[in-house]
Amino acid sequence: MTAVARLQRMHHGSHFRAFTLRGGQSDQSIDPFLAVDHAWIGGPTFPPHPHAGFSAVSYLFLDSETGIDNRDALGNRNLIQPGGLHWTAAGSGVVHEEVPAEPGKTVHMLQVFINLPLDRQAQAPFAFSLEAQDVPVVQLPGVKVRVPLGSFAGVASPLSPPTEVSLLDISLAEGAEVQIPVPEGHVAFVMPIDGEVLVDGQAFNLAEQALPVKLPQRDDRVVTLRANQGNAKAVVFSGRPLHQPVFWQGPLALASQEALDAAIEAYQRGAFGTLEPR
């Protein structure tokens, strides 16, 4: 039987609306993922803000009207184009900012918070990107699978992230079906993005605000996606659980209260760096 998690619908003015899945201290069913926002952004929603203890990953869907102007206190600045991915491993702490590149245009994206292994949480922050044209793509009858993280059908992402995870962006034509193997030892879940997708025969869409988690709970470890009513789009996430405590405060998440307190103090004294006003 498929376990189901509830999505939280969020709306902030005209700039930001999202469907959010959140795990963490009380619910580690999506470990090593901490939270996933499926968001539409039309304004400067993410001004300079701190991160520590985990990775903040931004993935833009190909239908985004514009890209994201991304910068951080390490001196990195880049344009995340539609179809591209940017990974910030915050580690011991960094200040970060993301703004739509063209005012008035909408970014369609995922913002994914992924926990870092305990021994990496105190390491220096770093960042890397994957350009849209470098994301591997698998074409099957009626199915397109983009592979920004992990692997599928013998095709692997060129990235080696600090936490073992997979992210597959899957588009299905009406009537099409695809089977997605889940790596041994991984927890998996599916997020519907557009249309109605059947996950192992059970229908999910954004209107229902639910999604299947802990997939699959069978020996074959294969998830079957199908589009029965029109085209559909979904993202399959999987990752090897870290089984670590998670102590949250705003955009900081560490493995102990002591580490969290130390990160807050470090940020307050400016150790995360600063960003000049635009």
Side-chain angles (χ1 to χ4, degrees):
M1 182 67 179
T2 296
V4 175
R6 302 301 297 178
L7 287 168
Q8 178 184 4
R9 189 191 300 267
M10 301 173 62
H11 187 95
H12 299 292
S14 61
H15 292 310
F16 176 54
R17 62 189 177 98
F19 293 88
T20 296
L21 174 67
R22 185 179 175 96
Q25 180 69 11
S26 61
D27 176 12
Q28 295 198 354
S29 62
I30 61 170
D31 181 16
F33 299 92
L34 298 174
V36 182
D37 282 338
H38 172 204
W40 294 260
I41 299 172
T45 308
F46 303 122
H49 56 281
H51 285 310
F54 63 92
S55 298
V57 179
S58 297
Y59 174 69
L60 273 59
F61 291 107
L62 287 168
D63 64 355
S64 289
E65 296 175 345
T66 187
I68 285 280
D69 183 0
N70 173 84
R71 63 179 184 146
D72 61 41
L74 302 174
N76 299 307
R77 185 167 186 175
N78 64 296
L79 179 64
I80 312 172
Q81 296 278 15
L85 179 144
H86 185 83
W87 183 301
T88 300
S92 59
V94 67
V95 174
H96 184 216
E97 181 188 40
E98 290 184 325
V99 176
E102 299 176 82
K105 294 188 176 182
T106 299
V107 175
H108 184 201
M109 69 179 294
L110 294 173
Q111 185 167 74
V112 189
F113 290 172
I114 303 172
N115 207 359
L116 281 167
L118 180 59
D119 62 351
R120 290 180 174 263
Q121 290 192 354
Q123 292 182 0
F126 62 92
F128 53 83
S129 295
L130 182 63
E131 299 295 335
Q133 65 269 22
D134 297 326
V135 174
V137 178
V138 177
Q139 294 277 4
L140 300 170
V143 179
K144 177 182 177 181
V145 181
R146 304 186 83 239
V147 189
L149 296 170
S151 62
F152 173 72
V155 171
S157 166
L159 300 180
S160 297
T163 305
E164 185 181 330
V165 295
S166 174
L167 188 161
L168 304 178
D169 176 359
I170 302 171
S171 301
L172 301 106
E174 183 174 11
E177 181 176 293
V178 64
Q179 292 189 326
I180 308 296
V182 177
E184 186 65 33
H186 278 213
V187 165
F189 60 97
V190 181
M191 179 171 276
I193 301 300
D194 189 31
E196 181 179 271
V197 59
L198 272 66
V199 182
D200 291 338
Q202 188 173 356
F204 293 89
N205 57 56
L206 287 181
E208 299 298 325
Q209 294 181 251
L211 75 167
V213 299
K214 293 186 177 179
L215 292 173
Q217 299 184 44
R218 309 180 310 275
D219 291 340
D220 60 8
R221 296 192 60 77
V222 172
V223 178
T224 300
L225 304 184
R226 181 176 176 83
N228 270 1
Q229 301 182 19
N231 299 339
K233 188 176 182 65
V235 173
V236 177
F237 299 85
S238 76
R240 187 176 298 279
L242 296 175
H243 303 297
Q244 296 173 183
V246 180
F247 289 79
W248 281 96
Q249 180 160 322
L252 311 177
L254 291 105
S256 71
Q257 185 62 53
E258 293 78 13
L260 177 59
D261 291 343
I264 294 169
E265 188 276 332
Y267 171 60
Q268 291 174 340
R269 62 179 162 83
F272 288 15
T274 59
L275 284 171
E276 296 296 325
R278 289 178 178 271

